[in-house]
Amino acid sequence: MPALSLKNIIEQRRSIRRFICKSISTDTIKDMVDMARWAPCPNNIQPWRFYFAKKDSAVTKKVIGYLENKAAIKSIAIALFLNDAIRVLKSCDSVLYVFNNNMVRNRYKKMVSSYYQKKANLFEEQAIAAAIENMMLYAETLGIGGVWLGSPVMVGNGIKRIIGSPYELSAVIALGYYDKRPGKTPRMAVDEILTVI
């Protein structure tokens, strides 16, 4: 089978929420994080920090329990998203907890206004998003699927405490091998989203 082009990999990648029972090795996770760290970031700040755990680890079990508690007391809309995250975390093989070390925001806290502090945080989050995308695309070449879970970030301080990280939670990535790729989801046409000026 010929190697896929980057364009093919981007077009075929899907958010995978159902996984098969096959373990991802720690070395494979390290390779994925290696691809993440090559993402573009302003002034080479590299604000990302990754914590890796298996689904059945004590940490992930505590995170799932914490999310279940939060889903029981949050508004119905947030609970729906949290319950989806819980279901995925229970079925995946591995979890990457992605944190922002807030280096830029913290470094310039006393020097700039709160408006520019927020912008510094935006730069950090954009870099982290690019790193996650690198990792997800590389995972696709290995037959590993994943889904970028945003809802746990809404209750991220509790997850931060469980993990023992001094950083701010940016994303939770559920990973695993899969045997069935979901169909294409509709995308807006290029002419709908691009304005030539």
Side-chain angles (χ1 to χ4, degrees):
M1 185 171 144
L4 293 172
S5 70
L6 179 59
K7 184 177 187 291
N8 293 141
I9 292 164
I10 291 169
E11 288 174 343
Q12 79 175 22
R13 191 212 61 79
R14 300 286 180 273
S15 292
I16 304 296
R17 288 179 164 81
R18 289 184 171 79
F19 306 93
I20 61 172
C21 188
K22 181 179 176 184
S23 182
I24 302 172
S25 72
T26 301
D27 284 342
T28 299
I29 295 292
K30 286 180 178 179
D31 286 345
M32 291 170 63
V33 172
D34 183 38
M35 293 298 103
R37 72 191 181 96
W38 290 104
C41 59
N43 295 312
N44 200 29
I45 58 173
Q46 302 179 59
W48 41 72
R49 296 297 181 269
F50 300 91
Y51 292 73
F52 166 57
K54 287 294 194 176
K55 164 185 77 174
D56 296 327
S57 71
V59 165
T60 298
K61 286 179 179 178
K62 285 180 186 174
V63 167
I64 290 170
Y66 171 75
L67 293 176
E68 287 172 336
N69 288 337
K70 287 297 182 182
I73 59 173
K74 291 289 180 186
S75 73
I76 188 70
I78 294 173
L80 285 171
F81 290 117
L82 290 175
N83 283 321
D84 177 61
I86 291 162
R87 186 181 51 74
V88 172
L89 290 172
K90 286 181 175 180
S91 70
C92 71
D93 174 73
S94 300
V95 184
L96 275 169
Y97 301 92
V98 187
F99 287 83
N100 180 349
N101 72 2
N102 294 127
M103 183 192 69
V104 175
R105 188 173 62 180
N106 292 337
R107 180 182 291 169
Y108 298 107
K109 190 178 260 185
K110 295 181 181 176
M111 298 169 62
V112 297
S113 69
S114 61
Y115 172 81
Y116 288 107
Q117 288 174 35
K118 287 178 187 173
K119 292 298 181 187
N121 185 247
L122 177 64
F123 296 154
E124 293 162 343
E125 292 297 332
Q126 288 172 336
I128 289 166
I132 293 170
E133 181 70 4
N134 273 15
M135 187 172 55
M136 300 292 274
L137 292 174
Y138 180 67
E140 182 66 32
T141 70
L142 304 175
I144 295 170
V147 62
W148 183 334
L149 299 169
S151 61
V153 175
M154 292 187 267
V155 292
N157 284 337
I159 296 172
K160 172 181 169 171
R161 283 191 298 273
I162 290 167
I163 292 173
S165 173
Y167 309 120
E168 179 183 5
L169 185 67
S170 292
V172 176
I173 312 297
L175 298 162
Y177 289 98
Y178 63 98
D179 58 2
K180 186 175 179 188
R181 182 191 321 275
K184 279 188 177 182
T185 53
R187 292 290 194 249
M188 295 171 70
V190 171
D191 289 339
E192 293 180 84
I193 62 173
L194 174 66
T195 300
V196 179
I197 54 176

